[in-house]
Amino acid sequence: MLQALGTIISTAAREPTSDELHCGLFDYYDHWREKDQRLDERHDSISHVAEVYAHDLVNLSVYAGQILHWLRPENIQSPPSVVVVSAVTEAFITVARSACDGLGVALSQVASENQGQVPKDSLRALLNWACNHPNRVAKEVRPAFDYDFEWFWQLRSIRDYLVHKGAHANIHCDTKQFNLWLHIPNKGWIKREPLLPILAQTTQNLIDLGDHISKFVEDRMPLPNDRYRTRMLQGVTIHSLYELIKVAPKYAKPSP
């Protein structure tokens, strides 16, 4: 079987390989031309979200692979390294933020009995709604919002500085690791930290959040038993996400 370049595939229920990633939301995915007739229209929204989330993860794996490439001893001291890693870091943070919104849309589909009340445009709006209107959240779904979202708010802050406030992901290199230096005139330093731990923690948190939200979607929108764990995100660059998480602790020396 040829390996997919980066898409959700159908497979027998099994553990993912190093170039695959499973999330419960993927089990809802059907290509629009091959829809499972046992599923109702409610599942279409989750299928679409699964595809969006998978696409974001593929892009993140490409960015992770580029950063790991320039991290190699033979590349890190090359002048282009900090320029490329700076651009890729900004793309990574922006897409990670987008992936959070996709997961927020998935959770919004089961967050309340009255769907007309629930924000469906961003995770930020959904979290604020749940905080301000706890009684409108479906009782079975309330534990979903007890999750530690602090990492998301930090990611959102960095992304907003980059996209809306004129900051740049300046990359400092000490010949052994990359550091993220985020500075804004008239405000000062926002970040001076090792880069890889920031990106690795974001990646792990995204994967964990996908698993967390999947549990509540599965409880409220059950699938036929023969569909569980039968969809994987498979791609030739997915292993870079796992590698980023694995090696990040080696590149966590405090930034100057």
Side-chain angles (χ1 to χ4, degrees), residues 74-239:
E74 66 270 24
N75 296 331
I76 195 169
Q77 297 187 51
S78 174
S81 69
V82 293
V83 178
V84 175
V85 172
S86 173
V88 172
T89 295
E90 292 194 11
F92 190 106
I93 292 170
T94 301
V95 170
R97 175 68 178 84
S98 171
C100 289
D101 284 343
L103 293 176
V105 172
L107 182 56
S108 73
Q109 303 302 313
V110 297
S112 177
E113 303 296 347
N114 188 341
Q115 283 294 296
Q117 299 176 342
V118 185
K120 293 183 171 63
D121 56 345
S122 73
L123 180 58
R124 175 199 61 79
L126 180 64
L127 294 179
N128 287 338
W129 168 82
C131 180
N132 294 329
H133 308 285
N135 292 332
R136 296 183 184 178
V137 180
K139 181 178 179 180
E140 299 84 354
V141 185
R142 289 174 189 171
F145 294 95
D146 293 335
Y147 194 76
D148 185 1
F149 286 99
E150 180 59 29
W151 66 273
F152 163 72
W153 295 112
Q154 294 179 9
L155 173 67
R156 177 178 177 269
S157 177
I158 295 174
R159 182 263 185 189
D160 286 353
Y161 279 121
L162 291 171
V163 174
H164 299 302
K165 300 180 181 179
H168 301 287
N170 299 301
I171 299 298
H172 167 266
C173 176
D174 64 3
T175 75
K176 294 183 179 180
Q177 73 176 38
F178 296 119
N179 300 304
L180 175 61
W181 286 9
L182 204 63
H183 182 273
I184 295 181
N186 303 322
K187 186 175 182 66
W189 291 105
I190 307 301
K191 286 281 183 184
R192 287 175 70 107
E193 297 179 20
L195 175 66
L196 260 67
I198 294 174
L199 303 185
Q201 290 163 12
T202 297
T203 301
Q204 187 63 66
N205 281 319
L206 269 176
I207 294 172
D208 292 345
L209 181 59
D211 291 338
H212 175 74
I213 289 176
S214 294
K215 296 174 184 177
F216 295 91
V217 172
E218 290 167 2
D219 286 344
R220 302 276 285 178
M221 297 175 61
L223 286 166
N225 288 334
D226 60 2
R227 283 189 62 117
Y228 287 105
R229 297 196 69 83
T230 60
R231 304 290 190 276
M232 300 279 186
L233 170 58
Q234 186 181 85
V236 294
T237 57
I238 295 300
H239 65 272

